[in-house]
């Protein structure tokens, strides 16, 4: 990938602020707002549009973040999660990607200066603004920027000085707001709406080289309802002409712009564009990977140590590979601890570190064969082991597990209970998409928008969350027998056909080469998923956390030669704060409390205020929804809790509902 980029115009807000300070000009203090790490990862990452009190901005690509990190003498602190790092490298096709946190440092108090040289760089986007006093539609250069208060970033705004007003007789200063229309394409490009060409129907204004435009909008919040007016020549054109199928034919083709990278595709794009609004929910979909950090095996530790050697020693590693004593000295200088390695072990580590990176063909094959379950298998294998003692703490991973006895009245289908008193969850951003979420077949190389201009970036942003959880394991023999019963049922056949229709209707260039049934989750996944949702609802009433703050980690797949069968779930709550959470969720793992939660949750799941419609919901042609007896009244959860966007849910697989006898719990 090679993008067209003007290196003479970098996005460097802190550098701009330094230049202004040298001139003793007080109008740009750089900081315009703040956000939590989780929000910057899942809602307002690079390429997204963030609403500030007075205008909107777009966090830039990771290349511009490097200027922020270079303001510190020390290297950015890495996030240690080798298993996640390997998966991220596969998805980003970059063999040396590291995981880094957001550039941020806590302050002692509100007026302290610690961390003032760290932050996420952003640009004003869109750069078309509209004056609220006279309806002037212009670029940011036509307005004045005001941001002089060092502790009130919410006062940063654009203004139209000496605004004549709609009557043409005023001289007041009026605020300017973003013009809310944009153009986007399915390939992930985003562009400003060409208002001047739109109002003149693809031509230039006959009266002025730089026409005087106005956006007349008296019905804000009602979609494309504005009128674009050229005061220079008198032309008018409503924005609602750009809506719908007929309007799409009037829009220009995509130019291949990536505003977060300040770059264009060298050969353009050329696909059809769609009219978008600034606040549209489908403007930015993150592609993330996450793991619960488990204690590392010996092989994982060796692989991570070899990777750290390669990153720290670089060219010295190949040059002095035969001199192990010198390698030890270099490693000590680079703060890579190899003191516990024998000469033979160190030689093996050096050999591993010197192995060439995989070729592009190997990367493509690995990515094509990659299964999301691969990230879950190591977690499941570890959770199958009973903790050493009643409370086992692993300081390296941050995981603390405790065994819990089963209450005699707990449903016998639940065979094991573990309390995760402390856990660490690491989340990494690998890219993003626009218009549609990243869940289509074969979309990895085509639709995933890069986070940096470099073809092989050396890092990506990640977050660490700490919290607690409750792990439940189901009886494998009963699950396997139940699964065979479901596979032979008419309800499952209806779900399978609905999934086939859903799969075929979702555009993908490679969909015809993949069997839709390979993408359908097995019945045990529907069972575990539905159970997790009803437990989240029940636990939220008891633990003190809202249902939206609880999330699921599902382990549900049939056994193969490479991995054991799984049927279990982990309900967790995490926080980005270093202190983690307060223990309200893990307290529900106590035998008597868990039994009450499970019984109450299953009892509530047997009834829904939408029954009998909900209880009998089965997809039939031409319907293609991916759920059965499930709705927002009984099972469905918030998007922060569900890993599958409320798909693959059916209460009939959990309990026997009227007209069905497929309930695992009877």
């Amino acid at each position: 990938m090679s993008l067209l980029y003007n290196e003479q115009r970098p996005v460097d807000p802190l550098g701009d602020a330094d230049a202004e300070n040298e001139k003793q000009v007080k109008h740009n203090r750089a900081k315009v707002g703040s956000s939590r790490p989780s929000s910057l990862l899942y809602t307002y990452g690079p390429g997204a549009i963030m609403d500030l009190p007075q205008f909107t901005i777009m966090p830039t690509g990771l290349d511009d973040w490097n200027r922020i990190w270079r303001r510190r003498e020390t290297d950015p602190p890495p996030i240690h999660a080798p298993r996640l790092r390997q998966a991220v490298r596969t998805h980003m096709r970059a063999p040396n990607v590291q995981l880094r946190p957001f550039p941020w440092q806590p302050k002692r108090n509100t007026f302290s200066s610690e961390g003032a040289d760290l932050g996420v760089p952003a640009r004003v986007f869109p750069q078309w603004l509209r004056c609220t006093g006279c309806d002037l539609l212009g670029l940011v250069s036509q307005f004045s920027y005001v941001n002089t208060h060092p502790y009130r970033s919410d006062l940063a705004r654009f203004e139209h000085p000496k605004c004549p007003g709609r009557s043409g007789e005023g001289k007041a200063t009026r605020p300017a707001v973003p013009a809310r229309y944009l153009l986007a394409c399915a390939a992930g490009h985003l562009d400003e709406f060409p208002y001047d060409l739109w109002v003149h129907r693809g031509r230039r204004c006959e009266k002025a080289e730089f026409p005087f435009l106005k956006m007349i909008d008296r019905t804000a919040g009602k979609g494309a309802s504005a009128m674009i007016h050229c005061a220079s020549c008198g032309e008018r054109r409503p924005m609602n002409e750009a809506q719908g199928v007929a309007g799409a034919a009037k829009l220009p083709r995509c130019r291949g712009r990536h505003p977060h990278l300040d770059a264009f595709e060298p050969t353009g794009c050329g696909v059809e564009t769609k009219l978008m609004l600034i606040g549209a929910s489908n403007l930015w979909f993150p592609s993330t990977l996450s793991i619960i950090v488990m204690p590392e095996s010996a092989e994982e530790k060796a692989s991570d140590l070899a990777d750290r050697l390669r990153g720290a020693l670089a060219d010295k590693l190949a040059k002095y590979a035969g001199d192990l004593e010198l390698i030890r000295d270099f490693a000590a200088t680079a703060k890579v601890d190899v003191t516990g390695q024998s000469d033979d072990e160190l030689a093996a580590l050096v050999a591993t570190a010197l192995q060439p990176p995989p070729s592009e063909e190997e990367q493509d094959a690995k990515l094509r064969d990659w299964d999301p379950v691969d990230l879950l298998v190591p977690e499941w294998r570890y959770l199958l082991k009973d903790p050493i003692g009643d409370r086992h703490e692993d300081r390296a991973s941050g995981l603390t597990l405790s065994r819990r006895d089963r209450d005699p009245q707990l449903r016998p289908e639940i065979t094991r209970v573990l309390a995760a008193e402390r856990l660490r969850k690491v989340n990494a951003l690998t890219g993003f998409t626009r218009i549609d979420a990243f869940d289509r077949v074969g979309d990895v190389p085509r639709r995933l928008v890069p986070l940096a201009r470099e073809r092989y970036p050396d890092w990506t942003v990640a977050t660490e969350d700490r919290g607690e959880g409750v792990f439940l394991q189901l009886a494998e023999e009963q699950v396997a027998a139940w699964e065979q019963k479901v596979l032979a049922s008419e309800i499952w056949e209806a779900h399978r056909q609905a999934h086939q229709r859903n799969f075929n209707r979702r555009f993908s260039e490679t969909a015809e080469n993949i069997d839709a049934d390979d993408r359908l989750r097995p019945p045990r996944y529907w069972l575990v998923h539905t159970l997790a949702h009803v437990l989240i609802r029940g636990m939220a009433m008891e633990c003190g956390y809202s249902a939206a703050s609880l999330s699921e980690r599902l382990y549900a797949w049939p056994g193969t030669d490479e991995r054991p069968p799984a049927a279990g779930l982990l309900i967790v709550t995490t926080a980005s704060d270093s202190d983690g959470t307060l223990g309200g969720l893990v307290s529900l793992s106590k035998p008597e409390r868990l039994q009450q939660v499970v019984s109450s949750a299953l009892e509530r799941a047997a009834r829904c205020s939408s029954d009998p419609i909900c209880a009998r919901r089965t997809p039939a042609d031409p319907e293609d929804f991916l759920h059965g007896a499930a709705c927002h009244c009984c099972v469905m959860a918030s998007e922060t809790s569900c890993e599958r966007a409320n798909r693959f849910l059916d209460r009939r697989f959990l309990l026997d509902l009227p007209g069905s006898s497929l309930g695992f719990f009877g």
Side-chain angles (χ1 to χ4, degrees), residues 585-618:
L585 176 61
V586 78
S587 67
L588 297 183
S589 64
K590 295 179 180 178
E592 64 280 0
R593 297 199 66 185
L594 181 63
Q595 188 275 329
Q596 294 173 1
V597 169
V598 172
S599 297
S600 299
L602 292 177
E603 183 178 355
R604 282 191 294 269
R607 298 184 300 273
C608 174
S609 58
S610 296
D611 284 342
I613 296 175
C614 177
R616 296 180 179 274
R617 183 182 291 112
T618 303

Side-chain angles (χ1 to χ4, degrees), residues 42-43 281 284-286 533 547-552 632 636-646:
Y42 294 109
T43 310
S281 60
W284 190 83
F285 292 100
H533 276 224
S549 64
L550 303 181
S551 61
E552 61 190 8
H632 286 286
M636 291 184 177
S638 65
E639 62 180 16
T640 58
S641 300
C642 181
E643 66 178 33
R644 287 290 167 184
N646 284 319

